[in-house]
Amino acid sequence: MNPLNDEYFMKQALVEARMAADEGEVPIGAIIVCNNQIIARAHNQTERLNDPTAHAEMLAITSATNVLGAKYLTNCRLYVTLEPCTMCAGAIGWSQIGNLIYAASDDKKGFRKFAPQVLHPKTIIENGILEKECSEEIISFFRKKR
């Protein structure tokens, strides 16, 4: 059994999400994996950077392209705790990520509702891995805010 499976990597994204929550950010975390190694990890930093584009996925993509020295991430997998918004999905599409794996669906802002064709045609999408844990993190965060 391979310990470096989808659940392992999603747990790493969840660690990032919890770091975001600790910083007062919406708890979303992202991990980019290439050849079974984490090459980028990020969490939301929109408040910290005062930047509405500083979503976990955007920051992780920038980091991964810097690590690889390439603009395309065709052999990489992106793990994110919440379904990407349309902005992030656009960046995922432009970077040509090979696999997008997200935990929880986002019925309000998720790309599948607004722009289901925005990803690269070869990107494989999976969802539901650690959905309950990742959803609870977001629900708990907003419950404390209210």
Side-chain angles (χ1 to χ4, degrees):
M1 185 169 151
N2 182 2
L4 301 178
N5 59 19
D6 287 340
E7 189 171 310
Y8 170 82
F9 290 120
M10 190 60 76
K11 284 180 181 178
Q12 296 302 305
L14 187 54
V15 167
E16 287 292 322
R18 289 177 175 148
M19 289 172 62
D22 290 345
E23 296 171 11
E25 301 277 358
V26 175
I28 300 171
I31 299 291
I32 296 183
V33 175
C34 190
N35 296 323
N36 245 12
Q37 288 190 305
I38 296 172
I39 62 166
R41 52 190 324 134
H43 56 272
N44 275 5
Q45 294 187 37
T46 59
E47 301 299 326
R48 178 181 182 196
L49 300 175
N50 199 31
D51 178 356
T53 68
H55 290 194
E57 301 95 321
M58 302 291 277
L59 297 171
I61 288 168
T62 299
S63 180
T65 58
N66 286 334
V67 167
L68 295 177
K71 67 180 180 178
Y72 297 123
L73 303 173
T74 53
N75 295 318
C76 297
R77 299 187 319 266
L78 168 63
Y79 293 85
V80 62
T81 56
L82 184 67
E83 177 184 349
C85 68
T86 54
M87 173 185 69
C88 292
I92 292 164
W94 283 110
S95 69
Q96 299 182 17
I97 287 211
N99 297 73
L100 167 62
I101 302 101
Y102 64 88
S105 295
D106 185 350
D107 297 333
K108 292 181 183 176
K109 303 264 184 178
F111 80 94
R112 285 191 141 169
K113 179 178 181 176
F114 297 104
Q117 303 300 318
V118 73
L119 297 182
H120 189 274
K122 292 183 180 178
T123 299
I124 298 166
I125 305 168
E126 299 172 55
N127 66 308
I129 296 168
L130 297 184
E131 179 178 10
K132 183 180 177 193
E133 294 90 331
C134 294
S135 292
E136 271 302 312
E137 193 66 35
I138 292 169
I139 290 166
S140 174
F141 175 81
F142 284 111
R143 191 177 297 131
K144 291 174 189 171
K145 289 278 187 191
R146 294 184 178 115

